Amino acid sequence: MKVPKLVKVMQIPIFSDKVDYWAVPTLDNNVYYSGNFQVDSAYKSGSIFFNYDGKFVSFDGKNLEVVIDDKEAQDYVLYYGKPVPVYRKGNGFVVGDKKYTSFYKRYGFTILQDGKQLELFTPFVVKEFEHPNSFLVLPTHVSLLYDEDSVIVDVLGNVKRVGRPLHFIGNYDQYQVFYSRSGRVEVTDNNGVMNAETFCNSPPIVVGVIGKGLAIECDDRIKVFTPNGWLVKNFT
C-alpha cells in the first residue's frame, strides 16, 4: 500500500460533534472529502462546502462564507456544483420545481425518489435511474440493485453495470466483494469464481488487506478472509 501524497492540508472549523468526515479515493487518484462536508466542482480552488444550522457555508482554508441562509431548508444538494435547498412539504420533499417521496443522504451522496425514478446527486453531477429494488450507499459509491443485475455509481458520476443481481461492495487486489439482500457476503476472484462466503446483518465495508488476507468490516467485527478460512476480530 502506497503512502498518499498530501497536496493540500486545511484546518476546518467544526461547529458540531455530529459532523461526519472521511476521504474517498476516486479513479483520477485524487481524494475528495464527503459526508456532511461536500466538495464543490470548483475543488481545484480549494473550497469546501458544508451545511450547518440551515446555512450552506463555504470554507477556503482561511475564511468562512455563508452562501445560502435559508431556515426553511431541510438540507441542501449540489446540482452540478451549485447548492440548491431541499424543502419538506407534507410527507414529501421539494427541490426546485420537482416533488419527491423520499430523501436519503449519506457519504456525500443524496438520493431523491418519486414513484417511478431515482435521482442520485453527487457533489459533481446528477444521474437519473429507473427505480431499483434496493440501493446501498457506501463510502466510495452507490449500488442500485435490479432483477438481473446491479449498477454502481462513484462520487464523480461514473456508471458501471455489474452482471449480477448483487450489491457490489468493493474490490481489493484480485478479490471482489458482493452482498445480497439476505445478508450473504460473497468473495470472488477477478474471473468470477467464488472463494468464500459469510453473513453480515448490515452491508460490509472493504477495509483492505491485513497480512495477505482481505479484511471487511462486518457488523461490529473485522473479518479477514485467508486461504484457511475467516479470521474474526471483535471491536469490543
Side-chain angles (χ1 to χ4, degrees):
M1 177 175 158
K2 295 182 179 179
V3 177
K5 179 182 178 181
L6 296 179
V7 178
K8 189 179 185 69
V9 177
M10 301 168 65
Q11 290 185 341
I12 302 175
I14 304 297
F15 299 101
S16 170
D17 59 3
K18 297 181 180 180
V19 173
D20 296 321
Y21 183 56
W22 56 89
V24 178
T26 56
L27 296 178
D28 61 0
N29 295 319
N30 285 322
V31 173
Y32 298 99
Y33 300 95
S34 56
N36 286 1
F37 293 85
Q38 297 194 64
V39 182
D40 184 79
S41 57
Y43 167 77
K44 293 180 181 179
S45 70
S47 294
I48 292 179
F49 297 88
F50 56 97
N51 308 330
Y52 173 70
D53 192 28
K55 302 179 179 66
F56 193 85
V57 182
S58 71
F59 180 66
D60 62 6
K62 295 181 180 180
N63 302 306
L64 288 169
E65 178 186 356
V66 177
V67 181
I68 301 177
D69 185 357
D70 189 339
K71 298 297 185 183
E72 300 299 320
Q74 174 88 9
D75 209 323
Y76 294 90
V77 295
L78 285 170
Y79 186 79
Y80 292 97
K82 303 297 182 182
V84 179
V86 178
Y87 299 105
R88 186 68 182 260
K89 188 172 183 179
N91 294 325
F93 301 87
V94 175
V95 179
D97 59 354
K98 301 183 72 171
K99 297 181 179 180
Y100 302 90
T101 56
S102 67
F103 170 84
Y104 184 86
K105 187 174 184 179
R106 193 181 187 193
Y107 298 137
F109 296 100
T110 301
I111 291 177
L112 288 159
Q113 296 184 90
D114 58 22
K116 298 180 179 180
Q117 69 177 19
L118 175 149
E119 290 189 24
L120 172 61
F121 293 75
T122 83
F124 304 95
V125 298
V126 180
K127 297 286 185 177
E128 295 185 0
F129 299 93
E130 293 182 6
H131 200 285
N133 296 329
S134 67
F135 65 83
L136 287 182
V137 180
L138 299 158
T140 55
H141 65 278
V142 173
S143 173
L144 308 175
L145 186 64
Y146 296 95
D147 291 337
E148 303 295 332
D149 57 11
S150 62
V151 172
I152 57 176
V153 188
D154 69 15
V155 70
L156 296 179
N158 298 308
V159 178
K160 181 178 179 180
R161 189 168 292 275
V162 179
R164 305 187 66 192
L166 296 171
H167 285 298
F168 176 75
I169 299 300
N171 65 291
Y172 200 99
D173 198 12
Q174 75 269 29
Y175 299 116
Q176 299 185 44
V177 181
F178 296 90
Y179 184 70
S180 75
R181 297 176 71 181
S182 65
R184 188 179 77 255
V185 178
E186 294 185 8
V187 179
T188 69
D189 62 21
N190 290 331
N191 296 318
V193 177
M194 187 168 69
N195 287 262
E197 68 176 358
T198 187
F199 287 86
C200 299
N201 293 320
S202 58
I205 293 177
V206 175
V207 177
V209 169
I210 297 178
K212 294 184 179 180
L214 174 71
I216 63 172
E217 178 185 335
C218 176
D219 303 327
D220 59 350
R221 296 169 292 178
I222 292 292
K223 290 187 175 183
V224 183
F225 166 63
T226 72
N228 297 320
W230 290 94
L231 301 178
V232 179
K233 176 66 176 177
N234 292 326
F235 288 155
T236 57

